[in-house]
Amino acid sequence: MLPFSPEAVLLIVIALVFGFYNGLHDSSNVVATVISTRAMRPRLALWMAALANGVGPLLFGVAVAETIGHEVVAERAVTLPVVYAALLAAILWNVITLKLGIPSSTSHALIGGMVGPVLAGYGSGAILANGLLKVLLTLFLSPILGMIAGYWIIKLCFFLARGATPRINVWFQRGQILTAAMLALSHGTNDAQKTMGVIALGLVATGHMATFHIPLWVILASAVAMGAGTLFGGWSLIRTLGTGFYRLRPVHGFSAQIASSAVILGAALLGGPVSTTHVVSSAIVGAGSAERVQKVRWGVVNSIVVSWLLTIPAAAALGALLYTLIHYLF
């Protein structure tokens, strides 16, 4: 590998900043329920999530990074201005939604951020339709699967715990520590790979790698960036997920975390990037609606659905604008 050029160094730094904000933004997904049910103290929960987020990418392969890296955009459109614009658009959207306390998707933001610059610079012919369809289907179906899984898992928990005394809540509360660790591992596995894929894309674009692959140092750097971001915690999003939908009890947190972990890890192994935010949100809603539909504050759910629909086109527009500016500067 050649020594890194200044352009490549800048790209790596921006990508790791994206990974940091990904961890900062999505830490709420992992710890919201375990904090709101008081199964763990906030700082301890964040440390646990940070460590598990960092370990996850080392255990379960790089299938999502492969999808992001060479199944969405044609090789001729993989240029530095495109990659810069994609990352900056995703970071900017994450910052905006984090400040507003809206649980938006970093996955949606990155995909939109990639598509916008490519369309602006190379036209629709540079978008790989099959790969993009795979990504969009995964992003669309995973929240639905999360809601269904949350609904049936809590039904199973109620069935197995029928006739139990209130002390069963202690068991669910302690069980949440394990399920939160599982969720953090699956989250790190899926989301850190998006940073890996973009860094590898940039290294190919700058000529530092002849073919697309994920070096070990890229895996380690991406894992550390996400873990570091997780430690700082997106507290406004933690409040939204932990208390915004309804008053969570340990059984809700336990069920939602199992459902989310299964969907996110399954998608990661198949190479499908998912929105952790929306999978966790839908699993929480599924768990609550299984007990009583009126229990859920559907106004909060509606605001998340709106952000789910807006993120890709908004990030694409930001990416196209940033690409135009960066292309002019280059």
Side-chain angles (χ1 to χ4, degrees):
M1 182 179 289
L2 299 173
F4 289 143
S5 63
E7 294 86 357
V9 171
L10 178 60
L11 179 138
I12 293 167
V13 170
I14 296 173
L16 293 178
V17 169
F18 167 77
F20 177 87
Y21 264 99
N22 195 345
L24 178 68
H25 193 278
D26 287 4
S27 59
S28 56
N29 305 328
V30 177
V31 301
T33 57
V34 80
I35 289 174
S36 65
T37 61
R38 300 185 180 181
M40 295 182 74
R41 294 192 303 275
R43 186 52 55 186
L44 180 61
L46 286 170
W47 271 104
M48 179 275 296
L51 291 173
N53 272 340
V55 171
L58 303 176
L59 298 180
F60 299 106
V62 292
V64 173
E66 296 281 344
T67 299
I68 293 292
H70 61 79
E71 292 187 27
V72 177
V73 176
E75 188 175 344
R76 64 185 174 85
V78 180
T79 62
L80 275 179
V82 166
V83 180
Y84 283 152
L87 286 169
L88 291 173
I91 291 171
L92 183 57
W93 184 255
N94 279 347
V95 170
I96 292 170
T97 54
L98 188 64
K99 291 293 184 183
L100 296 176
I102 300 171
S104 68
S105 165
T106 52
S107 299
H108 285 60
L110 181 59
I111 295 302
M114 290 176 63
V115 169
V118 171
L119 289 176
Y122 298 89
S124 59
I127 301 294
L128 303 179
N130 289 339
L132 182 60
L133 180 61
K134 172 184 173 180
V135 169
L136 293 178
L137 280 175
T138 306
L139 291 173
F140 175 76
L141 292 176
S142 54
I144 298 173
L145 293 175
M147 181 177 290
I148 293 171
Y151 181 93
W152 286 110
I153 288 174
I154 200 169
K155 286 284 191 183
L156 178 62
C157 288
F158 286 151
F159 176 76
L160 295 175
R162 66 191 186 283
T165 67
R167 285 189 58 80
I168 192 67
N169 286 309
V170 176
W171 188 91
F172 283 123
Q173 194 172 51
R174 291 174 180 171
Q176 270 194 273
I177 299 173
L178 176 61
T179 56
M182 290 168 49
L183 178 56
L185 280 171
S186 62
H187 172 247
T189 300
N190 200 293
D191 277 40
Q193 291 191 52
K194 296 156 193 171
T195 304
M196 299 176 204
V198 173
I199 291 177
L201 270 179
L203 293 177
V204 171
T206 55
H208 290 79
M209 294 196 314
T211 58
F212 182 91
H213 66 279
I214 312 295
L216 178 60
W217 70 266
V218 173
I219 297 174
L220 293 173
S222 301
V224 169
M226 171 162 282
T230 302
L231 281 178
F232 288 86
W235 291 105
S236 59
L237 301 183
I238 289 173
R239 284 191 291 272
T240 299
L241 290 178
T243 60
F245 296 119
Y246 54 87
R247 184 177 178 182
L248 290 175
R249 301 202 313 272
V251 66
H252 299 119
F254 179 82
S255 302
Q257 286 168 343
I258 291 178
S260 304
S261 301
V263 172
I264 295 166
L265 184 57
L269 295 175
L270 293 173
V274 302
S275 166
T276 308
T277 302
H278 293 135
V279 172
V280 174
S281 300
S282 63
I284 292 172
V285 170
S289 59
E291 187 174 3
R292 192 172 70 251
V293 173
Q294 294 83 357
K295 181 184 186 73
V296 178
R297 298 187 184 105
W298 292 100
V300 179
V301 177
N302 290 338
S303 68
I304 292 176
V305 171
V306 170
S307 77
W308 182 72
L309 295 173
L310 285 179
T311 295
I312 289 180
L318 278 173
L321 176 61
L322 289 168
Y323 171 80
T324 302
L325 295 174
I326 292 170
H327 186 70
Y328 175 77
L329 293 175
F330 267 72

